[in-house]
């Protein structure tokens, strides 16, 4: 009986490990090198990151470079509410907020399912409306039947001292931002200016 229990336990563990190793996460994790920047946030941070990125792209062994506030596989540090512009704050949906650059989607091989990716001209500003990209899960939670319906929708989200206005310009395919045991999380992406 003990031998049967040990064999059954071994088979179960093997199947779980095989599932985790072979599951499609929705993004490319192979051949990735992630560097964490020092936790020094000042007015020169963006210029230093851009300089470092420019130096890396000159190396022939590097295919893509990107910078972001968080990476797939880690819980994003930013989280706040988002809603359609014509709704009240009681209708807010809790969403992860992630700062990315224009190369994030291509670097992690995350496909768009509707609209377009963000560009440097879409940079976030506290005083002006901005453009954002969202994932399929957020469009579903916002009540859209298809990702295409979400395009050009005006939204309000929390960040900083006052609500921010934005327009959805793209929708990306869901990917597992956190553990496989959790469902897809609603995520919005913006370009840090």
């Amino acid at each position: 009986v003990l031998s049967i229990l040990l064999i059954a336990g071994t088979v179960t563990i093997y199947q779980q490990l095989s599932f985790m190793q072979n599951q499609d996460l929705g993004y490319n994790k192979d051949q990735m090198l992630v560097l964490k920047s020092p936790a020094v946030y000042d007015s020169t941070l963006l210029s230093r990151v851009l300089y470092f990125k420019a130096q890396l792209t000159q190396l022939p062994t590097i295919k893509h470079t990107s910078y972001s506030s968080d990476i797939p596989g880690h819980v994003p540090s930013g989280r706040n509410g988002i809603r359609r512009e014509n709704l009240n704050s009681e209708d807010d949906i809790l969403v992860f907020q992630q700062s990315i650059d224009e190369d994030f989607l291509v670097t992690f091989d995350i496909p768009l399912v509707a609209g377009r990716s963000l560009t440097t001209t879409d940079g976030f500003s506290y005083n002006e409306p901005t453009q954002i990209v969202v994932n399929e899960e957020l469009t579903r939670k916002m009540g859209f039947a298809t990702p295409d319906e979400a395009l050009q929708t005006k939204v309000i989200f929390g960040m900083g001292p006052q609500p921010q206005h934005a327009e959805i310009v793209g929708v990306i395919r869901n990917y597992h931002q956190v553990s496989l045991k959790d469902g897809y999380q609603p995520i919005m992406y913006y370009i840090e200016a």
Side-chain angles (χ1 to χ4, degrees):
V1 170
L2 187 57
S3 296
I4 291 172
L5 288 175
L6 286 173
I7 291 171
T10 302
V11 169
T12 301
I13 290 172
Y14 174 78
Q15 288 174 335
Q16 286 295 311
L17 288 174
S18 179
F19 171 78
M20 288 188 298
Q21 290 173 340
N22 298 318
Q23 181 67 23
D24 178 22
L25 300 175
Y27 64 91
N28 181 11
K29 65 179 179 23
D30 298 328
Q31 301 294 316
M32 292 284 182
L33 174 64
V34 177
L35 301 173
K36 188 173 181 178
S37 70
V40 177
Y41 301 101
D42 60 15
S43 61
T44 65
L45 175 65
L46 188 57
S47 62
R48 287 183 287 135
V49 168
L50 291 173
Y51 176 79
F52 184 65
K53 181 180 172 183
Q55 297 303 308
L56 289 176
T57 56
Q58 293 177 9
L59 300 173
T61 55
I62 295 178
K63 189 174 179 182
H64 298 288
T65 61
S66 177
Y67 66 89
S68 63
S69 60
D70 303 284
I71 60 168
H74 292 260
V75 178
S77 54
R79 197 164 190 183
N80 217 317
I82 189 170
R83 66 182 182 274
R84 293 189 200 192
E85 201 172 58
N86 59 345
L87 298 177
N88 297 321
S89 59
E90 304 88 50
D91 300 311
D92 275 3
I93 297 165
L94 196 57
V95 63
F96 284 123
Q97 297 173 327
Q98 192 167 332
S99 167
I100 62 172
D101 71 354
E102 67 277 5
D103 298 317
F104 179 81
L105 299 181
V106 71
T107 300
F108 284 96
D109 197 20
I110 301 171
L112 279 163
V113 293
R116 65 174 178 84
S117 184
L118 296 173
T119 65
T120 53
T121 60
D122 296 323
F124 175 78
S125 170
Y126 281 108
N127 302 319
E128 298 175 16
T130 189
Q131 287 75 38
I132 61 170
V133 167
V134 299
N135 68 348
E136 290 173 301
E137 180 64 14
L138 183 53
T139 63
R140 187 187 66 74
K141 287 197 175 216
M142 293 179 87
F144 295 107
T146 66
D148 286 316
E149 286 182 18
L151 298 178
Q152 282 81 48
T153 299
K154 307 285 192 232
V155 296
I156 298 174
F157 63 94
M159 182 180 287
Q162 58 191 1
Q164 305 300 318
H165 294 264
E167 176 185 7
I168 298 173
V169 296
V171 180
I172 64 168
R173 189 180 78 185
N174 285 332
Y175 65 86
H176 291 280
Q177 178 69 36
V178 290
S179 171
L180 285 173
K181 66 182 179 182
D182 297 327
Y184 295 117
Q185 302 293 321
I187 308 174
M188 63 161 273
Y189 305 84
Y190 63 95
I191 291 224
E192 190 80 45

